[in-house]
Amino acid sequence: MYVCLCNRISDKTIKTLVRDNRITSISGLKKCVSIGSHCGKCLPQATQLIKNELINLTAVTEIDIVQ
Ligand code: FES
């Protein structure tokens, strides 16, 4: 699913960047892709995706530590 229609950036791309490049903010994401560079309507959803992916990564890390 595209999050940023203007630049064709998908939720999968954002999740992968957060996971692999340790992105923690919109400004960090903007250094990797041109998200929000036109209308900016995608920024709230992209912010939420970053937060959710960071929560998921934290949960996985905690599970790994417990096991
Ligand atoms: S939808 Fe991302 S800049 Fe327009």
Side-chain angles (χ1 to χ4, degrees):
M1 171 186 80
Y2 285 122
V3 173
C4 180
L5 294 174
C6 296
N7 298 304
R8 295 185 175 190
I9 300 168
S10 70
D11 58 339
K12 186 176 177 183
T13 297
I14 294 171
K15 289 177 183 179
T16 300
L17 286 169
V18 169
R19 198 175 332 115
D20 295 350
N21 296 4
R22 301 192 180 277
I23 302 294
T24 59
S25 65
I26 283 293
S27 61
L29 189 60
K30 285 181 173 180
K31 291 177 183 171
C32 299
V33 291
S34 55
I35 194 159
S37 61
H38 292 284
C39 71
K41 289 181 181 176
C42 53
L43 294 178
Q45 187 177 2
T47 301
Q48 193 60 51
L49 270 171
I50 292 170
K51 287 180 183 175
N52 290 347
E53 194 60 18
L54 289 173
I55 289 168
N56 289 341
L57 287 173
T58 303
V60 168
T61 302
E62 288 176 0
I63 290 169
D64 288 345
I65 291 170
V66 171
Q67 290 178 344

